Amino acid sequence: MRLLAVHADALSCEPVHSRGDVEPEEYPDPVSADSCIGAFVGVETGDGGRMGAVATAAAAELRAASDQLNTDTVVLVPTPHLVDDPAERGVVAAVLDEIRAGLSDRDVRSVPAGWHLECDLRTKGHPYAVRSRRLTGEDHVDEATGETTWFLAGDTSADGPDADDPPVPIEDATAIPAVLDGIVRGERRPARLGEILPAHGITTSDEAATGGGLRWTPRGLTVRACIRALLDERFADATPIRTAERLNPATTAIREHVAAAGWTVEGPSVTRRALCPGHLSALADADLDADALPATLWELGECERPDSAPQKVTLPEAHTATTDLDAALAVVEERLALFDDLDSTLGIDRVPVVRVTDEFYAAHEQWVEGVVGRFEGPVAVERGAVEHPFSVAFFASVGDDVVELGWLRVDVDGPARFGVEYADGTRRSTPVVVHTAPVGTVEALAATVLDPGVPTWLAPTQVRLLPIDQGQVARCRRVAATLSGAGVRVDIDDRARTVGERIAAVTDQVPYYAVIGDRGDGERLRVTDSETGATEETTPAALAERIGASTPLDRPVSRRGPLCLSDRLVVGGSE
């Protein structure tokens, strides 16, 4: 932002032409003042991501000028010509609103953004009449980014963690788990998912994509489908919805959300980093009644997260409207039980980070300590000026990287910002909303789950059939039909390679394989476990029953792509 502050005897600004493509039928009224500070404000595109900070800095500069020049009147004039990369109208309006809020004890008048102006300015002639500033907001922070204190519960000591021990200040902890160290110090780097996922053959890089975008292979699409099926079943009672990926910062609710969340605005729209704005907007349009709450919306949608690599990711989220804070905390407890269930199902070990405001902690200390005490192992607790009254984020290690694998947030500001209300008899009240991301992004979860080896229920191919020659392909097709009919994902490696080469090509990502020869009847298979190398004779029905017992899904997910590997199109070197 560039700020030109002028001490004026008189200033008047009249909008005469719209900066848009079409002239409106009505024009805003002129804005004028005598003995004032004319604040000519050039808002840059990048200010959209640090709106609160730059507005605070501008308000501080204008307050200092107001005190020095002994005038309480400030006229804010949007002046895009001051900067090389001017922000779009909605961002400018949001910044001016923030500056006004920071000068609430002064007489502040704003010229509307988005207009060519006819201005009449008569300046004072003293040495302090004009001042120019370049403001980045680096020296000013929002209240939500103020002081916080870190604690560690379940501290590791020579005698092991004791659930009865109170949390200790992080600097007094005997040991901080590696997964938490970078988070506590604010130095966690983005996980290299763009390297991890291709190594498992479920994505390939795409130079034509922006933001490190990935190309999902047929194997990867099956993994995604399995994850989605699992989550859809867990949220079967929620109302499914699909919301817009790009949002309009010219609307007040989105503008305020962008400012609070620190999202970057580029051009006339902002790409969502989470699903909550669309869901809060949907809840505002819903006919909510106290007797029908809690009510949950569920979506698995695309987002862009600048702190992720790749930036374009798939994020499952649920948003639950509740009548009040106590009802929201009851939902949090239910969701924590769901997180435990998912940890067991997915075979992951997540480490929680609890964040809580001082006010919430003082009023709910026993409840917070109960939540912290339910976790096994160390828990980091951040207390102070955090964004939400209560939240939990979950992290896990993938090799040398740390990924965020889900969160819970109690939101009291967002519903009011979007005008969400519910009927309670003759009254209308604002609900408290619980935001739930049960596994974080699908990309981060896939990397975490696949890192130690592919579980059978998630394997894109669960059984691979290897005919000894082309004469056995027909028999393989009959066996595959039996297995597929029982919900097993099966394929046939009929490529022109030796049996040994095709066995060597079977990785641990295919849990079972069977060599199909001309001996034996069609009801018996010699099946090899890829992980252990053990071979046993069984029937297709028995094998299907074993695989079915390992899946947590109510309904099986079908295989993607041609049945025979010789018919598959290999893209990016991944089969």
Side-chain angles (χ1 to χ4, degrees):
M1 173 192 290
R2 289 195 179 275
L3 174 66
L4 177 64
V6 180
H7 191 194
D9 271 330
L11 170 63
S12 66
C13 297
E14 181 179 0
V16 293
H17 292 295
S18 171
R19 291 184 181 273
D21 296 331
V22 180
E23 289 292 331
E25 294 183 0
E26 296 183 1
Y27 290 74
D29 293 332
V31 177
S32 61
D34 296 328
S35 187
C36 65
I37 295 172
F40 297 86
V41 183
V43 182
E44 299 171 282
T45 296
D47 294 332
R50 51 179 186 271
M51 197 177 299
V54 293
T56 299
E61 288 289 342
L62 293 173
R63 181 179 296 280
S66 171
D67 292 340
Q68 182 184 30
L69 301 174
N70 195 30
T71 176
D72 286 339
T73 304
V74 178
V75 179
L76 300 176
V77 184
T79 314
H81 301 299
L82 289 176
V83 295
D84 295 329
D85 184 22
E88 63 91 31
R89 178 179 177 177
V91 176
V92 176
V95 171
L96 296 185
D97 285 348
E98 292 278 334
I99 296 174
R100 285 175 63 97
L103 296 170
S104 58
D105 58 337
R106 309 296 162 105
D107 178 14
V108 181
R109 308 171 192 183
S110 291
V111 177
W115 295 88
H116 294 285
L117 306 174
E118 185 178 282
C119 295
D120 186 6
L121 171 66
R122 188 169 69 250
T123 67
K124 301 277 189 179
H126 58 76
Y128 305 105
V130 180
R131 65 185 71 192
S132 177
R133 297 287 186 270
R134 174 79 169 88
L135 304 175
T136 64
E138 293 179 356
D139 296 331
H140 299 267
V141 297
D142 295 330
E143 180 181 353
T145 58
E147 292 291 328
T148 63
T149 304
W150 281 95
F151 299 86
L152 188 68
D155 187 19
T156 304
S157 63
D159 299 327
D162 189 339
D164 295 330
D165 290 340
V168 299
I170 203 76
E171 59 270 18
D172 296 335
T174 56
I176 302 176
V179 69
L180 295 176
D181 188 50
I183 298 167
V184 170
R185 291 188 287 107
E187 298 177 1
R188 184 174 70 91
R189 61 177 173 81
R192 294 164 293 184
L193 301 180
E195 300 176 16
I196 297 170
L197 295 175
H200 291 289
I202 65 172
T203 68
T204 60
S205 61
D206 185 356
E207 294 182 357
T210 60
L214 296 176
R215 180 192 297 124
W216 287 81
T217 65
R219 299 183 70 255
L221 291 175
T222 302
V223 170
R224 284 167 59 104
C226 289
I227 292 173
R228 174 159 198 159
L230 175 69
L231 297 175
D232 281 343
E233 289 180 4
R234 294 300 188 271
F235 286 90
D237 293 334
T239 299
I241 193 171
R242 182 171 182 176
T243 55
E245 293 182 30
R246 298 194 66 82
L247 308 169
N248 181 8
T251 61
T252 301
I254 296 299
R255 189 166 66 235
E256 293 177 353
H257 183 90
V258 167
W263 293 4
T264 300
V265 178
E266 296 182 0
S269 63
V270 57
T271 302
R272 64 184 181 186
R273 300 186 188 180
L275 309 185
C276 46
H279 284 219
L280 289 171
S281 179
L283 289 171
D285 291 338
D287 186 14
L288 299 179
D289 187 272
D291 293 338
L293 299 183
T296 301
L297 295 177
W298 166 249
E299 181 178 4
L300 194 147
E302 303 293 326
C303 300
E304 286 191 10
R305 300 180 69 84
D307 58 346
S308 173
Q311 293 180 0
K312 183 115 179 180
V313 293
T314 307
L315 181 63
E317 277 194 327
H319 300 84
T320 305
T322 66
T323 53
D324 52 31
L325 186 57
D326 287 340
L329 300 187
V331 170
V332 168
E333 293 176 2
E334 293 175 2
R335 294 287 186 257
L336 289 172
L338 171 65
F339 275 72
D340 290 341
D341 173 66
L342 289 172
D343 284 355
S344 176
T345 299
L346 295 165
I348 55 179
D349 184 16
R350 295 189 273 193
V351 179
V353 174
V354 174
R355 293 184 171 94
V356 59
T357 61
D358 288 329
E359 181 181 7
F360 182 88
Y361 185 79
H364 302 84
E365 180 177 354
Q366 186 174 358
W367 184 87
V368 173
E369 291 183 353
V371 168
V372 171
R374 75 186 303 284
F375 296 115
E376 296 182 2
V379 182
V381 180
E382 185 179 19
R383 239 167 56 197
V386 294
E387 183 178 0
H388 298 287
F390 176 86
S391 65
V392 189
F394 295 86
F395 298 86
S397 296
V398 182
D400 295 331
D401 292 324
V402 174
V403 295
E404 187 172 12
L405 284 186
W407 55 82
L408 280 168
R409 296 167 184 161
V410 175
D411 188 1
V412 296
D413 295 327
R417 185 183 301 134
F418 281 81
V420 183
E421 292 184 339
Y422 67 91
D424 186 6
T426 59
R427 297 185 304 115
R428 296 197 66 82
S429 303
T430 300
V432 178
V433 171
V434 178
H435 305 296
T436 306
V439 294
T441 68
V442 169
E443 289 76 6
L445 176 65
T448 305
V449 173
L450 299 178
D451 188 53
V454 184
T456 299
W457 74 272
L458 197 57
T461 297
Q462 295 169 314
V463 177
R464 176 160 293 170
L465 304 177
L466 309 174
I468 61 170
D469 55 43
Q470 290 299 307
Q472 301 304 316
V473 172
R475 182 185 173 198
C476 287
R477 288 183 179 275
R478 291 193 296 272
V479 173
T482 300
L483 291 171
S484 180
V488 175
R489 293 186 292 275
V490 56
D491 63 22
I492 301 170
D493 189 350
D494 62 337
R495 293 172 295 179
R497 302 178 181 179
T498 67
V499 173
E501 289 173 337
R502 285 179 284 152
I503 290 176
V506 178
T507 67
D508 59 0
Q509 297 176 18
V510 179
Y512 300 100
Y513 68 88
V515 177
I516 307 298
D518 55 4
R519 297 181 182 179
D521 59 63
E523 293 301 316
R524 308 291 299 179
L525 302 175
R526 288 190 59 79
V527 176
T528 301
D529 185 316
S530 298
E531 182 179 3
T532 65
T535 299
E536 65 172 320
E537 191 172 278
T538 186
T539 64
L543 178 59
E545 184 178 356
R546 181 192 309 171
I547 292 172
S550 72
T551 181
L553 304 177
D554 292 338
R555 286 191 287 270
V557 172
S558 301
R559 174 189 50 78
R560 299 293 186 97
L563 175 62
C564 294
L565 269 59
S566 64
D567 295 329
R568 293 188 182 176
L569 179 64
V570 177
V571 179
S574 176
E575 298 178 357

